[in-house]
Amino acid sequence: MKKFTFFLAAMLAFAFTAGAQIYKGIKNEVSFYSDAPLEDITAKDTIATLILNGKSGTVIADIRIKGFVFPNPLMQEHFNENYMESDKFPKGSFMGKINEPVDYTKDGTYTVSVTGTLTIHGVAQQRTLSNIKLVVKGNTVNVDFKFDVKLADHKITVPSAVGQKIAEVISVTVHSEMIADAPKK
């Protein structure tokens, strides 16, 4: 709980930086896909929080692990209890910075990369996420990208008995429709 409180405090401080153009995700979707020999697994979370600081290029994402919904309730239960240990590790997060310049005052499509820290299952790793598509139009920014997560990199273990049902690398897809808050004067 202390980590979550600190994270929220950091998000608020970040969001209220004087003069910054802050974009908040109003419609977010984080989904993942496991392509394994015996079974494909998909899940979607639509209650994620995404924030972008247009002035500094800082990006924050916060995902509640129990927010992932599966087509099969038993899969969802196993995901939360056996693999992600969601009571112990309730959040996933990413905090990073866009590497390329983006002019948020001009409508257009930008392909960027973001370098930062991805934390899943209590394990933080430095990552560069690439091929992120930003579409700027007026006071909105649409964000779309995919990236892979190796379960072993975040100490997520899969018992050998179900190893052919769960992929070792999970494909994650993110979509966010973001809208600008009025900058503080």
Side-chain angles (χ1 to χ4, degrees):
M1 188 66 168
K2 287 180 185 178
K3 285 182 184 179
F4 180 66
T5 303
F6 174 76
F7 185 76
L8 281 178
M11 281 178 47
L12 289 173
F14 161 82
F16 294 108
T17 304
Q21 186 66 54
I22 305 300
Y23 296 87
K24 293 181 182 175
I26 57 168
K27 185 177 178 188
N28 304 310
E29 182 176 301
V30 178
S31 60
F32 69 80
Y33 177 70
S34 167
D35 179 17
L38 295 181
E39 190 169 26
D40 293 339
I41 300 171
T42 61
K44 180 172 38 173
D45 181 336
T46 58
I47 56 174
T49 301
L50 284 92
I51 300 173
L52 165 64
N53 181 320
K55 184 174 182 180
S56 69
T58 304
V59 177
I60 295 175
D62 183 40
I63 296 131
R64 190 172 66 91
I65 300 302
K66 285 187 177 180
F68 281 102
V69 177
F70 292 70
N72 177 333
L74 187 58
M75 281 183 183
Q76 189 164 330
E77 182 181 327
H78 288 173
F79 170 80
N80 283 301
E81 292 178 7
N82 301 336
Y83 307 114
M84 295 302 289
E85 302 175 276
S86 301
D87 288 334
K88 186 176 179 182
F89 305 108
K91 300 280 180 180
S93 66
F94 182 81
M95 184 177 244
K97 186 169 178 164
I98 296 175
N99 296 316
E100 296 79 18
V102 176
D103 185 351
Y104 296 96
T105 64
K106 288 177 70 175
D107 288 359
T109 301
Y110 302 85
T111 301
V112 299
S113 61
V114 177
T115 300
T117 304
L118 175 67
T119 303
I120 301 173
H121 198 243
V123 178
Q125 287 217 328
Q126 290 296 311
R127 294 285 303 264
T128 297
L129 307 176
S130 57
N131 295 317
I132 299 170
K133 181 179 164 185
L134 301 179
V135 178
V136 177
K137 187 172 183 180
N139 68 339
T140 65
V141 176
N142 284 322
V143 181
D144 288 286
F145 64 100
K146 292 182 179 185
F147 65 100
D148 291 335
V149 175
K150 281 183 161 181
L151 299 182
D153 287 351
H154 294 277
K155 298 183 181 175
I156 301 168
T157 56
V158 176
S160 58
V162 294
Q164 292 205 358
K165 290 185 176 185
I166 300 172
E168 294 178 17
V169 178
I170 305 298
S171 177
V172 179
T173 302
V174 178
H175 171 76
S176 180
E177 294 177 22
M178 307 183 94
I179 190 163
D181 278 350
K184 302 290 179 192
K185 299 200 184 212

Short mmCIF file of all heavy atoms in Angstrom, two decimals, residues 27 32 47 78 101 157 169 177:
data_model
loop_
_atom_site.label_atom_id
_atom_site.label_comp_id
_atom_site.label_asym_id
_atom_site.label_seq_id
_atom_site.Cartn_x
_atom_site.Cartn_y
_atom_site.Cartn_z
N LYS A 27 -9.68 6.77 -22.51
CA LYS A 27 -10.11 5.44 -22.94
C LYS A 27 -8.84 4.63 -23.15
O LYS A 27 -8.11 4.86 -24.12
CB LYS A 27 -10.94 5.52 -24.22
CG LYS A 27 -11.51 4.19 -24.65
CD LYS A 27 -12.37 4.32 -25.89
CE LYS A 27 -12.87 2.96 -26.32
NZ LYS A 27 -13.55 3.01 -27.62
N PHE A 32 -3.24 -8.63 -23.42
CA PHE A 32 -2.10 -9.50 -23.70
C PHE A 32 -2.57 -10.79 -24.33
O PHE A 32 -3.74 -11.17 -24.24
CB PHE A 32 -1.24 -9.74 -22.45
CG PHE A 32 -1.88 -10.57 -21.38
CD1 PHE A 32 -1.92 -11.95 -21.46
CD2 PHE A 32 -2.40 -9.96 -20.25
CE1 PHE A 32 -2.49 -12.71 -20.46
CE2 PHE A 32 -2.97 -10.71 -19.24
CZ PHE A 32 -3.02 -12.10 -19.35
N ILE A 47 -9.18 -0.40 -17.34
CA ILE A 47 -9.17 0.58 -16.25
C ILE A 47 -7.76 1.07 -15.93
O ILE A 47 -7.51 1.63 -14.87
CB ILE A 47 -9.86 0.03 -14.98
CG1 ILE A 47 -9.23 -1.27 -14.53
CG2 ILE A 47 -11.34 -0.13 -15.21
CD1 ILE A 47 -9.77 -1.80 -13.21
N HIS A 78 -6.66 -18.38 -11.95
CA HIS A 78 -5.30 -18.93 -11.96
C HIS A 78 -4.27 -17.83 -12.22
O HIS A 78 -3.20 -17.81 -11.60
CB HIS A 78 -5.16 -20.03 -13.01
CG HIS A 78 -5.87 -21.29 -12.63
ND1 HIS A 78 -6.00 -22.35 -13.47
CD2 HIS A 78 -6.51 -21.66 -11.49
CE1 HIS A 78 -6.67 -23.32 -12.88
NE2 HIS A 78 -7.00 -22.91 -11.68
N PRO A 101 11.73 14.03 -30.32
CA PRO A 101 10.88 15.21 -30.14
C PRO A 101 9.52 15.04 -30.80
O PRO A 101 9.40 14.44 -31.87
CB PRO A 101 11.68 16.33 -30.81
CG PRO A 101 12.59 15.64 -31.77
CD PRO A 101 12.86 14.27 -31.21
N THR A 157 6.73 -17.60 -12.58
CA THR A 157 7.02 -19.00 -12.88
C THR A 157 5.75 -19.73 -13.32
O THR A 157 4.65 -19.45 -12.85
CB THR A 157 7.61 -19.71 -11.65
OG1 THR A 157 6.72 -19.58 -10.55
CG2 THR A 157 8.97 -19.11 -11.28
N VAL A 169 6.88 -16.03 -23.48
CA VAL A 169 6.89 -14.61 -23.84
C VAL A 169 5.46 -14.20 -24.17
O VAL A 169 4.80 -14.84 -24.98
CB VAL A 169 7.81 -14.33 -25.05
CG1 VAL A 169 7.77 -12.86 -25.44
CG2 VAL A 169 9.25 -14.76 -24.74
N GLU A 177 -6.57 6.64 -25.79
CA GLU A 177 -7.06 7.90 -26.33
C GLU A 177 -6.88 8.91 -25.22
O GLU A 177 -7.50 8.80 -24.16
CB GLU A 177 -8.52 7.78 -26.74
CG GLU A 177 -8.74 6.82 -27.88
CD GLU A 177 -10.20 6.62 -28.24
OE1 GLU A 177 -11.03 7.50 -27.90
OE2 GLU A 177 -10.51 5.59 -28.85
#
